[in-house]
Amino acid sequence: MKNYNVFILLFITSFGFAQVNDSTQVSYKKRVLESIEVDFLMSYYKQDGIHSAVAGGNGMEKLTDITPTIVVAVPLNDDDVLTVDMGISAYSSASSGNINPFDSNTPSPWQASSGASAQDVLTTLVINYSHSSDDRNTIWNAHVSGSVEYDYSSIGFGGGLTKLFNDKNTEVGIAANVYLDTWKPIYPKELQDFADNGNNLNGGIFDNFTIIGNTSYAPTKFVFHQDKNRNSFALSFSFSQVLNKKTQISIFADVLQQQGLLSTPYQRVYFADVDNAFINEFQLADDIERLPDSRFKLPLGARLNYYVNEKLVLRTYYRFYTDNWGINSHTASLELPYKITDRFTLIPMYRFYTQQASKYFAPYEQHLSTEKYYTSDYDLSSFDAHQYGMGVSYTDIFTAAKIWKFGIKNLDFRYNHYSRSDGLEADIVSFGIKFVLDK
């Protein structure tokens, strides 16, 4: 359930052109941020598929998520800005509900469970402080963050430095971030009960249900995780250049290292060389997902923005990704913001993604019990994905429309449909509004 948050963030990211005027002699210093700004963001995400990782790659993937977020930027003085980002992500998932499908008399990977794991709320808080030099050619920032949900918590910190050159036509940035996460592992119910009762079938769900198929069910490969931490370290580099009045390019690279518990404790795996055991239609797990405790990631990307005319802008994006788990991927996207009026802009968009599977992935019942690492999570499989969307943006630089003491500076609405070659389909609606406090 941790991955979809990354997907949702794609809908609230924007990219603009750098300004081209500067003066090395500062006689009048304009404030970095003139007044308090408040952003309210909301997204609704819905998906379904046929390869639930909780059910070992076989089962429904129904999930809905609502994510309201408030971002408040406060100018502390001419040079310094404090930004507070607060959000929640409330999801309901039939898939994660099947961590314990045995609250029903007829457990099935195609039936929603009403257990406690069927819904959760992720709460996040990020506090960022940034400082700009008098000539506005040097900007540094530092941040701390925290997030928590039922089975997972995280704290983070980091900072960055940005330098502008050549009358602000050239920009170079570097940033470093650290995230220290802790699992409170939840395991598939049948494995939990088997281990809790001395690795036998006396107790728990086994007192209430009759096993069919392999009645000598004994998932002896299952052991509880000893390491419950996940630490992530990231170093980011960026370079942006205004080539002329119409064209800007940027390139970026990230180096990421993760250590600790990198597998998801409640995702089942079924072995081809072990006889199947069922309770009703639900197959009992042979083990949980097992993955290495180290992962190195390297994404490299580029953007090109081209101002076609006063009505149309071309925004392009490409990223190559590779890691030491064997995944290689390519992402390409295109946005064509078209200005209908001075205030309204239509934004058609398209994104393509293709991925080569991890060397640790195999579909449902294709792993062997002799393997050291294994997963049937289709997020780590080979697939192609297409994403189509349309957005509408309203901008009023004079903030004529007002709510109480806040002027409305910008409204943004977007809809996207996501389709994956493994059968996953998703829809997302996102909305954003920016307010500026009148002085």
Side-chain angles (χ1 to χ4, degrees):
M1 297 304 107
K2 307 300 181 295
N3 296 323
Y4 65 83
N5 291 300
V6 177
F7 177 73
I8 292 171
L9 288 173
L10 293 171
F11 294 87
I12 59 175
T13 304
S14 61
F15 185 74
F17 284 83
Q19 297 183 12
V20 296
N21 296 318
D22 189 24
S23 172
T24 57
Q25 300 298 321
V26 181
S27 56
Y28 169 74
K29 183 168 64 174
K30 185 177 180 180
R31 293 170 66 90
V32 174
L33 186 65
E34 291 293 335
S35 183
I36 295 175
E37 294 186 352
V38 179
D39 287 273
F40 176 74
L41 309 170
M42 174 71 79
S43 67
Y44 173 77
Y45 173 82
K46 184 177 182 180
Q47 73 167 44
D48 197 6
I50 58 173
H51 295 296
S52 168
V54 176
N58 181 46
M60 62 180 172
E61 298 179 86
K62 286 185 178 179
L63 179 146
T64 59
D65 182 81
I66 299 175
T67 309
T69 303
I70 296 177
V71 183
V72 181
V74 181
L76 303 178
N77 51 48
D78 288 351
D79 305 322
D80 302 314
V81 177
L82 179 69
T83 304
V84 179
D85 184 332
M86 301 165 287
I88 63 172
S89 176
Y91 76 81
S92 173
S93 170
S95 176
S96 67
N98 279 330
I99 296 171
N100 177 15
F102 306 107
D103 60 348
S104 165
N105 291 325
T106 56
S108 166
W110 306 103
Q111 175 179 292
S113 169
S114 58
S117 57
Q119 58 272 322
D120 198 2
V121 176
L122 170 69
T123 303
T124 62
L125 175 66
V126 182
I127 300 174
N128 182 83
Y129 175 87
S130 66
H131 172 80
S132 298
S133 62
D134 286 342
D135 61 7
R136 303 301 186 241
N137 287 331
T138 302
I139 305 164
W140 65 263
N141 77 286
H143 72 84
V144 294
S145 64
S147 63
V148 63
E149 57 185 309
Y150 180 73
D151 64 330
Y152 200 81
S153 62
S154 174
I155 59 172
F157 55 90
L161 176 67
T162 301
K163 294 285 291 184
L164 290 89
F165 308 94
N166 188 25
D167 289 335
K168 292 184 170 55
N169 290 318
T170 305
E171 180 179 311
V172 178
I174 184 171
N177 294 284
V178 176
Y179 296 96
L180 308 176
D181 307 339
T182 303
W183 284 94
K184 292 184 287 185
I186 303 172
Y187 299 99
K189 179 63 173 174
E190 67 272 28
L191 296 178
Q192 180 78 52
D193 285 3
F194 182 81
D196 285 347
N197 289 284
N199 286 358
N200 63 59
L201 304 179
N202 298 318
I205 62 169
F206 306 111
D207 288 345
N208 303 318
F209 293 94
T210 300
I211 296 176
I212 57 177
N214 177 17
T215 57
S216 300
Y217 174 67
T220 53
K221 284 205 71 175
F222 172 71
V223 293
F224 295 115
H225 287 293
Q226 299 303 309
D227 185 359
K228 300 177 183 179
N229 297 320
R230 171 185 293 179
N231 300 327
S232 302
F233 309 91
L235 190 61
S236 303
F237 305 90
S238 62
F239 171 81
S240 179
Q241 178 66 48
V242 177
L243 299 179
N244 51 50
K245 292 182 178 180
K246 291 190 172 185
T247 310
Q248 182 190 40
I249 63 167
S250 64
I251 57 176
F252 54 88
D254 299 298
V255 180
L256 302 100
Q257 179 68 38
Q258 291 184 298
Q259 300 287 149
L261 178 49
L262 305 184
S263 56
T264 304
Y266 51 73
Q267 294 187 169
R268 292 175 173 86
V269 169
Y270 300 109
F271 298 132
D273 56 344
V274 174
D275 291 337
N276 298 337
F278 294 85
I279 291 178
N280 194 53
E281 293 182 352
F282 200 95
Q283 185 173 347
L284 305 183
D286 295 323
D287 196 12
I288 56 174
E289 174 183 85
R290 306 282 179 182
L291 293 169
D293 61 2
S294 176
R295 189 177 187 183
F296 177 79
K297 304 178 181 182
L298 182 65
L300 306 169
R303 297 180 186 268
L304 185 145
N305 286 359
Y306 181 73
Y307 176 85
V308 180
N309 53 44
E310 63 181 10
K311 294 285 189 182
L312 182 65
V313 175
L314 173 69
R315 297 176 180 170
T316 65
Y317 168 86
Y318 169 77
R319 189 190 76 158
F320 169 74
Y321 168 90
T322 186
D323 66 28
N324 64 344
W325 286 8
I327 292 179
N328 292 313
S329 71
H330 302 270
T331 307
S333 69
L334 173 66
E335 288 189 5
L336 294 169
Y338 182 79
K339 186 171 286 190
I340 304 172
T341 69
D342 289 342
R343 296 187 178 183
F344 285 94
T345 302
L346 281 180
I347 311 171
M349 59 196 78
Y350 170 72
R351 177 179 179 268
F352 173 75
Y353 179 83
T354 184
Q355 174 177 294
Q356 171 187 299
S358 166
K359 56 190 173 183
Y360 307 119
F361 171 82
Y364 166 72
E365 278 212 318
Q366 292 190 26
H367 282 293
L368 298 176
S369 61
T370 53
E371 298 172 24
K372 182 177 182 181
Y373 299 119
Y374 33 80
T375 178
S376 293
D377 182 351
Y378 273 70
D379 286 347
L380 301 181
S381 71
S382 292
F383 63 85
D384 297 334
H386 302 270
Q387 183 177 307
Y388 312 86
M390 178 66 74
V392 180
S393 180
Y394 167 84
T395 302
D396 180 5
I397 61 173
F398 300 108
T399 62
K402 293 182 175 16
I403 297 178
W404 192 49
K405 294 183 179 181
F406 287 89
I408 298 175
K409 185 175 181 179
N410 180 263
L411 287 166
D412 189 78
F413 177 85
R414 298 190 181 197
Y415 166 76
N416 278 260
H417 178 74
Y418 177 80
S419 180
R420 216 158 83 171
S421 57
D422 64 359
L424 182 70
E425 300 283 335
D427 294 281
I428 183 166
V429 177
S430 62
F431 170 78
I433 181 168
K434 180 187 287 291
F435 298 97
V436 178
L437 179 66
D438 282 349
K439 291 185 176 182

